[in-house]
Amino acid sequence: PALDPFPVPAKLRVRNINEDFIMTGCIVGWAHTKFGKHEGVELETLIVDAVTDALVDANVAPADVDEIYIGHFNGGFVMQDFPASLVLQAHKDLRFKPATRVENACATGSAAIHQGLNSIAAKKARIVLCVGVEKMTEISGAAIGEVLTKASYFKEEGGENGSFVDIFARITDSYFQKYGDQSDALAQIAAKNHANGAVNPLAHFQKDLGYDFCRTESDRNPLVSGHLKRSDCSPVTDGAAAVVLADAETAMGMKKAVLFRATAHVNDFLPMSKRDVTQFEGAALAWQKVYEQAKIGVDDLDVVEVHDCFTTAELLIYEAMGLAEKGDGARAIAEGWSTKEGKLPVNPSGGLKSKGHPIGATGVSMHVMAAMQARGDAGPLQIDGAEIAGVFNMGGSAVANYASILEAVR
């Protein structure tokens, strides 16, 4: 079953919800399996474990769920496709509930959550169950690479030297050509996230590798493509996470509620040839939209979970979210701004780099981690005084961009 390694009692907050946010949903319960290689565990089992525990955590009866969304990329990782009704395996009272599978590359989990929030905003549902899942390790490494390449503009970017590490190696090379070699910063990001993940019992990798290991090419840390070493790449991972959403009025009668103060979804062109991939323009626009909606700025955030599929991605996200100026993302890590002790801790969970990146589950996992931070429930990962949490999850090379601002109200 999914683990509950964070027994620290929540600090109870009850806040008035501003009328500007009344149409917004809340997270009222969650669950998260351990991420890693789940040998012999079926996709269905991962789904059922996360769903069962999330409903228990929310104290919501299966019969009271109005709608279900499941995020699952698949693309050939497992033979079992069409997973929407696998959620119903968790309890007989979920039978006949409307269930829909959504997919938006590596942002699939956030896509599921946003669909749930849309149903609540349209008043078609009061309580929505959202789950993200992926089982990636059943096929060979070469086959995994072929599946992931489907999330690129294949006719220009796929084929030989067309894996996602190759794609991000090209983004890295372009950035370095424009702003100088930032290999030190990439190693610092990798080391930070592995140090954070070392105390996360849900993480795939729970070992502090240190800066020297991440900076140095070696037999254990070889160059994979371009300037990117193995330590710059997120791992192939199995896992699931689930959240229960409720409308704000319903949520205020429940034991805990984390409000979506803002959400944004921005899709950019798929071909990298049609945009400057070093600018992450879609990501920047998504952040701009949530700041405007929540009436805050980057300095108001207490903690964020962002999409570090590769260390270069986190570096570019520093700039997209306004933590650093364009071309100066390295300053955020060099000066310690993004560490746990810094002015804006980034990925205290370990991020995708250490926690793992099961494609369909990642966005849901990020929201679980951020919600725990906002309530003070994150145990050894907790950032002192964190109240406002940001999430940024992206699909492809900053193509599908999802941002959220969360704040605990109960």
Side-chain angles (χ1 to χ4, degrees):
L3 304 179
D4 180 17
F6 302 105
V8 180
K11 49 187 178 185
L12 180 63
R13 295 193 188 101
V14 180
R15 297 185 181 176
N16 293 324
I17 299 180
N18 186 302
E19 288 184 2
D20 292 340
F21 310 135
I22 201 67
M23 292 299 292
T24 307
C26 295
I27 302 174
V28 297
W30 53 74
H32 195 300
T33 71
K34 185 183 184 304
F35 281 3
K37 185 173 183 178
H38 287 279
E39 199 164 356
V41 178
E42 294 183 344
L43 182 82
E44 178 181 329
T45 303
L46 293 170
I47 293 169
V48 168
D49 284 350
V51 165
T52 301
D53 288 359
L55 290 171
V56 170
D57 187 59
N59 197 27
V60 167
D64 291 333
V65 171
D66 297 311
E67 199 162 5
I68 298 165
Y69 287 98
I70 180 169
H72 182 219
F73 178 74
N74 197 13
F77 288 134
V78 295
M79 284 299 297
Q80 178 64 62
D81 218 334
F82 188 35
S85 279
L86 291 180
V87 179
L88 279 54
Q89 304 288 74
H91 197 280
K92 63 181 178 60
D93 288 344
L94 294 175
R95 189 182 183 194
F96 303 130
K97 304 289 185 182
T100 305
R101 179 259 192 98
V102 298
E103 181 273 317
N104 220 355
C106 298
T108 289
S110 289
I113 290 174
H114 279 231
Q115 288 301 108
L117 292 171
N118 289 343
S119 290
I120 289 170
K123 298 189 176 181
K124 295 188 69 176
R126 278 188 325 114
I127 295 175
V128 180
L129 173 62
C130 300
V131 57
V133 66
E134 210 69 62
K135 185 77 164 65
M136 301 178 69
T137 63
E138 289 189 0
I139 58 177
S140 69
I144 290 167
E146 290 176 0
V147 169
L148 293 175
T149 303
K150 296 176 183 180
S152 69
Y153 189 54
F154 190 82
K155 68 181 180 181
E156 287 184 4
E157 300 157 13
E160 188 176 357
N161 298 321
S163 70
F164 252 89
V165 67
D166 293 321
I167 288 168
F168 267 87
R170 294 200 287 275
I171 294 171
T172 305
D173 289 346
S174 296
Y175 187 90
F176 285 12
Q177 288 167 15
K178 189 177 290 189
Y179 300 114
D181 190 315
Q182 305 296 331
S183 295
D184 288 349
L186 300 189
Q188 289 172 317
I189 289 169
K192 168 184 71 73
N193 290 347
H194 277 285
N196 291 348
V199 295
N200 183 354
L202 298 174
H204 188 154
F205 293 139
Q206 298 176 28
K207 184 176 182 180
D208 185 349
L209 298 179
Y211 170 77
D212 289 341
F213 177 87
C214 296
R215 182 64 180 88
T216 307
E217 181 186 351
S218 66
D219 289 343
R220 294 176 58 215
N221 190 29
L223 283 172
V224 181
S225 184
H227 290 87
L228 297 180
K229 296 183 285 294
R230 182 178 292 162
S231 59
D232 293 304
C233 309
S234 58
V236 171
T237 307
D238 306 328
V243 294
V244 179
L245 306 178
D247 67 273
E249 183 178 355
T250 300
M252 292 308 291
M254 305 183 84
K255 65 177 181 178
K256 60 185 179 184
V258 179
L259 175 75
F260 283 86
R261 281 189 58 171
T263 59
H265 170 204
V266 172
N267 262 53
D268 204 345
F269 292 125
L270 184 58
M272 292 198 297
S273 61
K274 296 192 70 171
R275 51 199 168 93
D276 182 345
V277 292
T278 68
Q279 298 302 299
F280 271 33
E281 293 164 282
L285 182 57
W287 279 107
Q288 179 186 328
K289 284 176 176 286
V290 291
Y291 290 151
E292 290 175 355
Q293 186 182 344
K295 298 179 174 61
I296 64 169
V298 65
D299 292 339
D300 297 305
L301 294 170
D302 297 315
V303 62
V304 292
E305 290 285 334
V306 307
H307 196 95
D308 60 320
C309 50
F310 299 91
T311 51
T312 308
E314 182 167 323
L315 183 73
L316 293 177
I317 292 166
Y318 292 160
E319 299 174 13
M321 69 185 298
L323 182 60
E325 297 296 323
K326 292 292 183 185
D328 201 26
R331 186 180 177 194
I333 185 68
E335 299 197 10
W337 298 347
S338 59
T339 65
K340 278 185 176 179
E341 299 76 26
K343 66 178 184 179
L344 181 56
V346 177
N347 288 331
S349 70
L352 285 59
K353 181 71 209 61
S354 177
K355 175 165 58 72
H357 184 21
I359 306 299
T362 288
V364 181
S365 167
M366 296 167 86
H367 282 86
V368 169
M369 295 293 157
M372 289 194 299
Q373 289 285 352
R375 287 199 84 241
D377 287 346
L381 313 180
Q382 185 65 47
I383 303 302
D384 289 344
E387 295 184 356
I388 299 178
V391 173
F392 177 73
N393 180 205
M394 72 182 187
S397 52
V399 175
N401 303 276
Y402 290 82
S404 304
I405 305 293
L406 302 180
E407 183 175 12
V409 292
R410 279 192 75 83

